[in-house]
Amino acid sequence: MPALAASALFLAAGCAAEPGAHSSPSAARAQDAEASSGTTAAGQPLAVAAAPEAAATSTAVARPGAAGGKARKTALKVKSYDSRTRRAVISPADKGTSGGKGTASPSPTAGNTAKPHGTSMGDVIASAPAPGAPDGLLAKVTKVIGESRDGTEVQTAPATLDALLGDDDAKGSVPVDPASFDVERLLPEVKVSWAKTGDIHSGPEGTEVPLGSLRIDVGAKVAAAGAPASATASVSGFVQVAPEVDFSYGGDSAASGPGAAYLGVSGDWTSRWAVKGRAAASAQPVRVPFAKLHADPVLQVGPIPVVVNLDLTCYFQISADGSVTVDIEQDLKGDFKAGGTFGPAKGWTPVNESHMASSPVRTSVTTAGSVKASLGAEATVGLYGTVGVTADLAPYLRGEAAGSLGATSATGATAKTSVGASGAWGVYGGVDLTGTLRIQLSIFGTPVFQHSIPLGTLHREWKLADGKM
């Protein structure tokens, strides 16, 4: 499904365009990225980019409060980490490894208190994913325990990004490599495709996917609990997304913690899907996840590896009131942005924005009642294993009919309506975007808020076709 640049200094107002009202989906994000390339009052901001493969085990160390204590890239690496005891083994990058499976720290040499390999109490370490720390590691060294055969064993405690970034500024949007996602298929008829530069393609032959995009195709039947066998609707189609991670940090030399921060996910969205059959009435919407995806892209923020954890769950959902028979198809294209922005005056506030445009659709609604069907994705994004933002993007189709009728409509050059009875009907397209800011966003070094903050509900709906007979 899934991407994650919006400025940390303003709050974007969410809106969704009616069909045909929105142009180039990525234009606004491109303008944001261009605007962020200027200098700050303190000089050039730190570059934000995807970490090169050579930096897959990179580590940055800062020594707050010491002369020259700013973050710097080092030749050290986290060889192992035990999340239960919060002990880590630090070694030079060229020292042998044990295969990356061990998480327990080896015993230090008794009585050894020398400062090993430049690791000292008070150091703040940021590491790319390492054995025992698959989500990366951001920690402060509280004690140097001693030397062992594999390196230096240290006791650590949680740390925050401001200890590394200080009064620097950084801002950027980084596309997530579609090949980096681990995919868990939850239904049999799920197919995953992606394409990247170098004419590299994965997925069923003949499936066209734009560079940098991830596509998930699905086909399944869904019925409400307790409904008769005849009351079954089929869902088929695909979701295609080009996710990006949006990250920014604005240092504040006059105060502790950052003066601004932003974390979010954004990207281009394309979907084509159809719902056919009889949708039975149900007390609650029937929601069926069909694929889970996970990636841990590493952003290189100056010398610092910032590990982002991105999860996407793709699903379809149907709710109905009455025994409605439908045959609905729609294409959607657009973009989305969801995240949290921090400023000293308002603290953390939500950002949610989506622009969607629908192409001509085929609709058929028979008998009285209503039905709503969504093909959406829920995304979570966080840093170093902490969930900071959740967002649920749900483009939908809604059809309703009153009276006794069978009405069929097709849009486009051959638009026509055939009527089998009297009544009124309507078909609508729309998008819902909801989510939550989590307390773990305090990993930036901002004040801890005591409860989760809703993103608010972004809701837009437009009419696709209607009639009275």
Side-chain angles (χ1 to χ4, degrees), residues 18-369:
E18 294 187 1
H22 181 62
S23 58
S24 177
S26 57
R29 295 199 309 279
Q31 292 171 0
D32 284 346
E34 183 178 349
S36 72
S37 62
T39 60
T40 66
Q44 290 286 350
L46 298 176
V48 178
E53 292 186 12
T57 59
S58 64
T59 301
V61 174
R63 194 162 295 164
K70 278 200 166 187
R72 67 191 188 282
K73 190 174 181 179
T74 72
L76 302 175
K77 69 177 181 181
V78 176
K79 186 171 182 182
S80 66
Y81 178 72
D82 188 330
S83 59
R84 183 180 60 84
T85 63
R86 290 181 175 165
R87 290 188 176 187
V89 174
I90 313 296
S91 69
D94 58 353
K95 195 160 186 173
T97 65
S98 57
K101 296 182 179 180
T103 60
S105 303
S107 300
T109 303
N112 191 335
T113 59
K115 183 176 71 174
H117 307 313
T119 304
S120 299
M121 187 173 69
D123 285 353
V124 177
I125 297 172
S127 170
D135 299 319
L137 182 64
L138 179 61
K140 180 178 181 179
V141 176
T142 58
K143 182 180 181 181
V144 176
I145 298 173
E147 284 288 292
S148 73
R149 179 183 58 188
D150 290 332
T152 305
E153 186 176 19
V154 296
Q155 183 70 51
T156 70
T160 53
L161 273 173
D162 62 316
L164 288 160
L165 291 170
D167 59 0
D168 284 325
D169 296 297
K171 178 183 176 183
S173 288
V174 179
V176 181
D177 182 356
S180 68
F181 280 94
D182 293 326
V183 181
E184 180 185 359
R185 295 167 175 82
L186 304 178
L187 293 177
E189 297 300 319
V190 172
K191 300 178 178 64
V192 179
S193 309
W194 51 261
K196 55 189 296 186
T197 54
D199 197 26
I200 301 174
H201 178 275
S202 176
E205 185 176 354
T207 303
E208 296 183 1
V209 185
L211 292 179
S213 291
L214 183 72
R215 169 171 163 161
I216 303 97
D217 288 74
V218 64
K221 292 183 178 182
V222 58
S230 60
T232 300
S234 64
V235 177
S236 62
F238 71 85
V239 169
Q240 182 177 287
V241 64
E244 297 182 357
V245 175
D246 302 329
F247 175 93
S248 69
Y249 175 95
D252 187 354
S253 58
S256 61
Y262 180 89
L263 180 65
V265 58
S266 62
D268 292 339
W269 172 282
T270 303
S271 61
R272 176 183 301 163
W273 52 294
V275 181
K276 297 181 180 181
R278 180 185 174 192
S282 57
Q284 297 292 332
V286 179
R287 182 164 176 151
V288 181
F290 58 86
K292 290 184 177 181
L293 304 94
H294 176 82
D296 296 301
V298 180
L299 309 186
Q300 196 68 42
V301 182
I304 304 165
V306 176
V307 184
V308 179
N309 315 119
L310 178 61
D311 288 278
L312 295 169
T313 300
C314 301
Y315 66 88
F316 58 80
Q317 180 171 294
I318 296 180
S319 60
D321 177 15
S323 297
V324 184
T325 300
V326 297
D327 184 356
I328 305 176
E329 184 177 359
Q330 180 179 222
D331 291 353
L332 277 174
K333 285 189 176 182
D335 61 7
F336 66 95
K337 180 190 294 183
T341 185
F342 173 81
K346 295 184 178 180
W348 283 100
T349 54
V351 172
N352 60 346
E353 181 179 349
S354 178
H355 307 86
M356 292 287 173
S358 62
S359 63
V361 296
R362 182 186 77 251
T363 64
S364 173
V365 183
T366 306
T367 74

Side-chain angles (χ1 to χ4, degrees), residues 402-418:
S404 175
L405 81 113
T408 301
S409 170
T411 65
T414 61
K416 63 180 181 179
T417 300
S418 59

